Amino acid sequence: MMTEEQIYKNVPEHYPICYNDNCELAEECLCRLAARYGELNDNLLQVVNPRKNCGKTCVYHQPKRISRMAYGMTHTFDQVLAKDAPAIRSTLVQHFGNGSYYVRRNGKFPISPAEQEYIHQLFRKYGYAEGASFDEYRYEVEW
């Protein structure tokens, strides 16, 4: 089992952080957990102002959510008919953008549950009842 420190250490670059331990949402907010456990490598930090944002009215509050993230699609097209592959790939590139599609395909960037569902629906649209396959899954914070 991973510790909280391990779970929240991979804070995305430029993620807003909060140092307000007195906030009623502190234990459930990614901004606070990022400040407490994150490896903050930015030269400049974006810090939430507790005088303007705190508690239920905080516009920066992000509830912590651990999700099943997919990585890689290197074998996704193995069972796809040659006539369908270009159209499916083109739709994915259009949806994600050329660079973003390939970093997801190569497993360099996580594929969120919502993105996984989009990809599955696209494959089902072309008659692949099982949807798409991904190389691996990891439970991670959905930043």
Side-chain angles (χ1 to χ4, degrees):
M1 170 88 31
M2 294 176 73
T3 65
E4 273 207 336
E5 188 172 344
Q6 292 170 317
I7 292 170
Y8 297 107
K9 74 174 186 173
N10 295 322
V11 179
E13 194 172 331
H14 308 303
Y15 196 80
I17 59 172
C18 178
Y19 289 108
N20 188 356
D21 275 330
N22 297 324
C23 178
E24 62 189 280
L25 301 175
E27 295 305 314
E28 294 296 318
C29 183
L30 285 179
C31 295
R32 179 65 195 113
L33 295 167
R36 186 178 299 155
Y37 299 113
E39 293 178 3
L40 305 171
N41 295 315
D42 292 349
N43 288 327
L44 294 172
L45 297 176
Q46 184 176 9
V47 180
V48 175
N49 182 348
R51 290 186 177 169
K52 294 278 190 180
N53 299 289
C54 186
K56 293 181 177 154
T57 61
C58 180
V59 297
Y60 293 98
H61 172 68
Q62 294 293 322
K64 66 179 180 180
R65 197 172 38 226
I66 308 293
S67 299
R68 186 176 180 228
M69 306 297 253
Y71 280 84
M73 298 185 288
T74 56
H75 299 288
T76 303
F77 290 92
D78 288 356
Q79 303 300 318
V80 174
L81 296 175
K83 70 177 181 71
D84 295 334
I88 295 172
R89 188 174 287 109
S90 174
T91 302
L92 290 172
V93 168
Q94 279 183 310
H95 179 78
F96 291 110
N98 195 42
S100 292
Y101 165 71
Y102 283 101
V103 295
R104 284 171 174 81
R105 181 203 172 277
N106 295 332
K108 305 271 189 233
F109 192 83
I111 303 165
S112 72
E115 293 169 337
Q116 292 171 48
E117 185 55 32
Y118 173 81
I119 295 166
H120 284 308
Q121 290 298 330
L122 177 61
F123 275 74
R124 288 183 191 117
K125 177 182 164 187
Y126 280 86
Y128 301 96
E130 298 297 317
S133 64
F134 301 101
D135 297 348
E136 70 173 295
Y137 293 94
R138 298 181 209 153
Y139 286 92
E140 296 179 351
V141 174
E142 192 170 343
W143 296 100

